Amino acid sequence: MFRFIVRRLLQMVLAFFGTTLIVYALMFAGQGDPIQALAGERPVTAAQRAYLTEKYHLDATGVGGFFYRYFDYISNLLRGDLGESLTGRSIGDILAAAWPVTIKLALIAIAVAVIFGVTAGVLAGIRRGSIFDNATLLLTLLVLGIPTIVLAPLAQYFLGVKWQVFPPTAGADPGFGALLLPGIVLGSLSLATALRLTRTSVAENLRADYVRTARSKGLPSRRVVSVHVLRNSLIPVITFLGVEVGNLMSGAIITEGVFNIPGVGFNLFRGIRTEDGPLVVGIVSVLVVVYLVANLVVDILYAVLDPRIRYE
């Protein structure tokens, strides 16, 4: 197990440097004026140009200059210094204020996917071919066919404005009640996918030889399902949900924008809209770390559930 974790950590380090290099190169290594790439289409004064040149070491030219700037950026990033946005505000302070909101929103979405998606998927897998199974397959197909950019405004209008079941917007300091509807919308696609994945995995494992052996030994169906079937069936589900955590952290751009939630996705969208290069690169770099850590946790859980993985 120790060698397995060390191997995954080494892969994580390589992936971190590779992805951050790509993100950084997209801003600085292209042709044209790197300062204008930082500022977007907004005009840049001479004072701003001098400040950005000194701050990002843009006076160093060529391939060597690019890697010098990249390793300087990485060294600051590893020290926790994400730099400043073009508005002069610290990116670290922006993320410090946004992360608690996005984490609460992602936790609600994951809870919705686990409680309703996995539970319904287990029941549908056990009762394969029943009315409940067919109904869940139809409902999940409808949910998967509606993109978040359509589902979020519809849910906001009907459940927030017309019927007033939930608050239509979250506001500056949203609580649990204000984040409940956005969390349900954000977790709806994860719920549908987790349900279908769990249903397929449970139905497949119920036909496995080890299940027939357990039943032939006289074990009750509840024990066969809870002890043997669920453990093997949840391996792909945990893999999906672990990776989905990273998606929920960054993929909440639309949901946070529609419901006016001041989270990470909202600030990333604002950086893209205002063409604030340092803010976008800083947030994306942190999201890369979130993805890598989520995948590492998934790999460890995968090895715990399936010991064969440790020796591969």
Side-chain angles (χ1 to χ4, degrees), residues 135-147 151 188-189 192 196:
T136 54
L137 289 178
L138 179 60
L139 289 175
T140 53
L141 182 63
L142 291 175
V143 172
L144 292 172
I146 303 176
L151 184 61
S188 60
L189 295 180
R196 283 176 162 260

Side-chain angles (χ1 to χ4, degrees), residues 154-168 181 185:
L154 287 177
Q156 183 185 46
Y157 174 72
F158 286 105
L159 297 178
V161 177
K162 188 173 182 179
W163 297 331
Q164 298 182 356
V165 180
F166 300 99
L181 179 59
V185 172

Side-chain angles (χ1 to χ4, degrees), residues 145-297:
I146 303 176
T148 306
I149 197 171
V150 175
L151 184 61
L154 287 177
Q156 183 185 46
Y157 174 72
F158 286 105
L159 297 178
V161 177
K162 188 173 182 179
W163 297 331
Q164 298 182 356
V165 180
F166 300 99
T169 58
D173 189 16
F176 176 79
L179 293 175
L180 188 56
L181 179 59
I184 294 174
V185 172
L186 183 62
S188 60
L189 295 180
S190 302
L191 184 153
T193 306
L195 192 155
R196 283 176 162 260
L197 193 60
T198 306
R199 180 250 182 200
T200 303
S201 185
V202 169
E204 180 181 349
N205 280 285
L206 282 173
R207 299 193 301 268
D209 292 336
Y210 70 88
V211 173
R212 287 194 292 267
T213 302
R215 285 175 173 170
S216 65
K217 291 181 178 180
L219 292 178
S221 297
R222 179 177 298 180
R223 180 172 177 81
V224 171
V225 172
S226 60
V227 175
H228 299 282
V229 175
L230 278 185
R231 178 167 182 173
N232 291 282
S233 300
L234 290 180
I235 291 176
V237 180
I238 289 177
T239 303
F240 165 73
L241 291 176
V243 175
E244 194 67 8
V245 170
N247 293 331
L248 294 175
M249 291 296 183
S250 59
I253 296 176
I254 297 173
T255 306
E256 290 183 356
V258 170
F259 291 96
N260 195 27
I261 302 172
V264 175
F266 180 83
N267 284 280
L268 179 59
F269 175 73
R270 186 182 63 182
I272 296 172
R273 185 182 59 190
T274 59
E275 298 179 332
D276 193 331
L279 179 61
V280 173
V281 172
I283 293 178
V284 171
S285 298
V286 174
L287 291 177
V288 167
V289 177
V290 172
Y291 269 104
L292 293 175
V293 172
N295 278 275
L296 176 63
V297 174

Side-chain angles (χ1 to χ4, degrees), residues 3 5 11 34 40 48 79 81 88-89 96 104 108 133 158 184 201 222 304:
R3 287 185 298 176
I5 296 177
Q11 294 173 355
Q48 290 174 330
R79 291 197 301 267
D81 182 11
R89 187 181 176 188
K104 286 191 292 185
I108 293 173
D133 181 30
F158 286 105
I184 294 174
S201 185
R222 179 177 298 180
V304 171

Side-chain angles (χ1 to χ4, degrees), residues 73-142:
Y73 166 75
I74 286 296
S75 63
N76 291 331
L77 182 64
L78 294 177
R79 291 197 301 267
D81 182 11
L82 298 175
E84 296 180 349
S85 67
L86 293 181
T87 61
R89 187 181 176 188
S90 172
I91 298 175
D93 293 340
I94 295 175
L95 287 176
W99 271 121
V101 180
T102 296
I103 290 174
K104 286 191 292 185
L105 181 63
L107 288 177
I108 293 173
I110 285 292
V112 169
V114 171
I115 295 173
F116 297 101
V118 175
T119 304
V122 172
L123 294 176
I126 295 174
R127 303 175 181 178
R128 185 180 180 184
S130 64
I131 297 177
F132 178 80
D133 181 30
N134 293 327
T136 54
L137 289 178
L138 179 60
L139 289 175
T140 53
L141 182 63
L142 291 175

